[in-house]
Amino acid sequence: ISKKISLPGKAERPKLMKDHPLTAIFMDTSATRISYFYTFGQVVNSFLSEGKVFKTRFFNFDDQVREVTSSRIFVGCGTRFDIIENKCLELEKEYGRYPDCVVVITDGAGTKVSPKAASKWIWLLTKEHTLNLIPSKCRHFLISDVTF
Protein backbone atom coordinates (compact mmCIF):
# COMPACT_ATOMS: atom_id res chain seq x y z
CA ILE A 1 0.00 0.00 0.00
CA SER A 2 1.37 3.35 -0.98
CA LYS A 3 1.44 6.16 1.56
CA LYS A 4 0.42 8.51 -1.27
CA ILE A 5 -2.98 6.84 -1.69
CA SER A 6 -5.82 7.41 0.72
CA LEU A 7 -9.38 6.23 0.63
CA PRO A 8 -12.23 8.56 1.48
CA GLY A 9 -13.87 8.04 4.83
CA LYS A 10 -12.99 8.01 8.47
CA ALA A 11 -10.23 5.67 9.63
CA GLU A 12 -10.82 4.14 13.04
CA ARG A 13 -9.03 1.48 15.01
CA PRO A 14 -11.45 -0.79 16.91
CA LYS A 15 -11.72 0.11 20.59
CA LEU A 16 -9.89 -2.16 22.96
CA MET A 17 -12.19 -4.11 25.22
CA LYS A 18 -11.25 -3.96 28.90
CA ASP A 19 -10.96 -7.74 29.17
CA HIS A 20 -8.47 -7.96 26.27
CA PRO A 21 -4.90 -7.29 27.45
CA LEU A 22 -3.02 -4.95 25.12
CA THR A 23 0.26 -6.63 24.23
CA ALA A 24 3.10 -5.02 22.28
CA ILE A 25 5.79 -7.33 20.91
CA PHE A 26 9.12 -5.96 19.72
CA MET A 27 11.73 -7.94 17.74
CA ASP A 28 15.32 -6.70 17.64
CA THR A 29 16.17 -6.68 13.93
CA SER A 30 19.72 -5.47 14.15
CA ALA A 31 21.85 -7.55 11.82
CA THR A 32 23.10 -9.89 14.56
CA ARG A 33 19.55 -11.08 15.40
CA ILE A 34 18.60 -12.41 11.94
CA SER A 35 18.75 -16.00 13.18
CA TYR A 36 15.84 -15.28 15.57
CA PHE A 37 13.28 -14.32 12.92
CA TYR A 38 11.77 -17.80 13.11
CA THR A 39 11.31 -17.36 16.87
CA PHE A 40 9.63 -14.02 16.27
CA GLY A 41 7.26 -15.77 13.87
CA GLN A 42 6.45 -18.36 16.54
CA VAL A 43 5.68 -15.61 19.08
CA VAL A 44 3.52 -13.77 16.54
CA ASN A 45 1.59 -16.94 15.68
CA SER A 46 1.08 -17.78 19.36
CA PHE A 47 -0.52 -14.41 20.05
CA LEU A 48 -2.52 -14.39 16.79
CA SER A 49 -3.98 -17.79 17.68
CA GLU A 50 -5.26 -16.23 20.91
CA GLY A 51 -6.81 -13.24 19.15
CA LYS A 52 -9.99 -13.52 21.22
CA VAL A 53 -7.90 -13.11 24.38
CA PHE A 54 -5.19 -10.59 23.43
CA LYS A 55 -5.10 -7.38 21.43
CA THR A 56 -1.58 -7.58 20.06
CA ARG A 57 0.56 -5.17 18.06
CA PHE A 58 3.83 -6.36 16.50
CA PHE A 59 6.92 -4.24 15.86
CA ASN A 60 10.50 -4.68 14.78
CA PHE A 61 13.22 -2.29 15.91
CA ASP A 62 16.87 -1.43 15.61
CA ASP A 63 17.52 2.32 15.71
CA GLN A 64 13.85 2.94 14.87
CA VAL A 65 10.54 1.16 15.48
CA ARG A 66 8.44 -0.16 12.57
CA GLU A 67 5.05 -1.83 12.93
CA VAL A 68 4.91 -5.27 11.32
CA THR A 69 1.90 -5.34 9.02
CA SER A 70 3.12 -8.00 6.58
CA SER A 71 5.81 -10.66 6.35
CA ARG A 72 8.30 -7.95 5.40
CA ILE A 73 10.76 -7.12 8.19
CA PHE A 74 13.55 -4.58 7.88
CA VAL A 75 17.06 -5.43 9.03
CA GLY A 76 19.04 -2.52 10.38
CA CYS A 77 21.92 -1.69 12.59
CA GLY A 78 22.28 -0.52 16.15
CA THR A 79 19.84 -1.32 18.92
CA ARG A 80 17.98 1.33 20.88
CA PHE A 81 15.67 0.26 23.70
CA ASP A 82 14.50 3.79 24.55
CA ILE A 83 12.50 3.92 21.31
CA ILE A 84 10.44 0.95 22.53
CA GLU A 85 9.31 3.01 25.52
CA ASN A 86 8.48 5.90 23.19
CA LYS A 87 6.26 3.56 21.14
CA CYS A 88 4.59 2.27 24.33
CA LEU A 89 3.77 5.85 25.30
CA GLU A 90 2.27 6.40 21.82
CA LEU A 91 0.16 3.26 22.32
CA GLU A 92 -0.94 4.62 25.69
CA LYS A 93 -2.22 7.77 23.97
CA GLU A 94 -3.93 5.70 21.26
CA TYR A 95 -5.66 3.23 23.61
CA GLY A 96 -5.96 5.31 26.74
CA ARG A 97 -3.69 2.98 28.72
CA TYR A 98 -0.14 1.72 28.75
CA PRO A 99 0.26 -1.78 27.22
CA ASP A 100 -0.51 -4.55 29.70
CA CYS A 101 2.47 -6.54 28.44
CA VAL A 102 5.57 -5.51 26.49
CA VAL A 103 7.63 -8.38 25.07
CA VAL A 104 11.14 -7.61 23.78
CA ILE A 105 13.04 -10.27 21.81
CA THR A 106 16.73 -9.36 21.85
CA ASP A 107 20.22 -10.14 23.13
CA GLY A 108 20.01 -7.30 25.67
CA ALA A 109 22.76 -5.25 24.03
CA GLY A 110 21.56 -1.75 23.20
CA THR A 111 20.85 1.52 24.95
CA LYS A 112 19.53 2.26 28.42
CA VAL A 113 15.75 2.38 28.90
CA SER A 114 13.62 3.46 31.86
CA PRO A 115 10.10 2.13 31.22
CA LYS A 116 7.15 3.86 32.87
CA ALA A 117 5.80 0.41 33.77
CA ALA A 118 8.90 -1.81 33.93
CA SER A 119 7.02 -4.64 35.67
CA LYS A 120 4.97 -5.08 32.48
CA TRP A 121 8.06 -5.71 30.36
CA ILE A 122 9.23 -9.24 29.53
CA TRP A 123 12.58 -9.70 27.84
CA LEU A 124 13.08 -12.88 25.80
CA LEU A 125 16.83 -13.22 25.49
CA THR A 126 19.00 -15.03 23.00
CA LYS A 127 21.57 -17.61 24.08
CA GLU A 128 24.35 -15.00 23.92
CA HIS A 129 22.93 -12.14 25.97
CA THR A 130 23.64 -9.45 28.51
CA LEU A 131 21.51 -8.25 31.42
CA ASN A 132 23.38 -4.97 32.00
CA LEU A 133 20.73 -2.71 30.40
CA ILE A 134 17.61 -4.55 31.51
CA PRO A 135 15.86 -2.66 34.33
CA SER A 136 15.65 -4.67 37.55
CA LYS A 137 11.84 -4.47 37.72
CA CYS A 138 11.51 -6.18 34.33
CA ARG A 139 11.22 -9.95 33.95
CA HIS A 140 13.54 -11.81 31.60
CA PHE A 141 13.80 -15.35 30.24
CA LEU A 142 15.95 -17.21 27.77
CA ILE A 143 14.08 -17.85 24.53
CA SER A 144 15.23 -21.46 24.68
CA ASP A 145 13.37 -21.90 27.99
CA VAL A 146 10.03 -20.69 26.61
CA THR A 147 7.61 -22.78 24.53
CA PHE A 148 5.44 -21.14 21.88
Side-chain angles (χ1 to χ4, degrees):
I1 298 175
S2 172
K3 291 182 179 181
K4 296 179 182 179
I5 298 173
S6 63
L7 299 173
K10 188 176 179 182
E12 290 185 33
R13 193 175 289 277
K15 294 216 185 251
L16 182 65
M17 295 176 61
K18 288 185 180 182
D19 60 345
H20 285 71
L22 173 58
T23 304
I25 300 177
F26 296 86
M27 169 68 185
D28 180 349
T29 54
S30 57
T32 58
R33 302 287 56 96
I34 291 173
S35 62
Y36 286 89
F37 285 169
Y38 177 74
T39 301
F40 183 61
Q42 288 179 305
V43 173
V44 167
N45 288 334
S46 293
F47 277 91
L48 287 176
S49 69
E50 298 294 336
K52 292 180 180 179
V53 177
F54 297 98
K55 169 61 181 166
T56 308
R57 301 275 296 270
F58 303 97
F59 303 92
N60 66 306
F61 75 99
D62 44 39
D63 59 356
Q64 59 184 302
V65 173
R66 298 170 199 87
E67 185 154 15
V68 177
T69 56
S70 68
S71 60
R72 191 174 180 187
I73 293 181
F74 295 89
V75 177
C77 57
T79 304
R80 290 185 48 203
F81 298 134
D82 59 311
I83 58 176
I84 296 172
E85 175 64 4
N86 294 341
K87 179 54 75 175
C88 289
L89 295 174
E90 287 176 22
L91 292 171
E92 180 178 38
K93 286 181 184 175
E94 182 178 341
Y95 289 100
R97 71 176 197 222
Y98 194 89
D100 299 294
C101 181
V102 177
V103 178
V104 183
I105 302 170
T106 185
D107 62 359
T111 59
K112 186 176 179 179
V113 62
S114 299
K116 174 181 176 178
S119 64
K120 295 182 177 188
W121 283 46
I122 299 170
W123 297 72
L124 296 180
L125 300 168
T126 61
K127 184 177 179 181
E128 299 80 24
H129 66 278
T130 180
L131 300 174
N132 296 339
L133 297 170
I134 298 176
S136 61
K137 292 186 179 179
C138 295
R139 291 175 285 163
H140 57 84
F141 306 93
L142 289 177
I143 291 172
S144 58
D145 292 342
V146 180
T147 304
F148 302 102

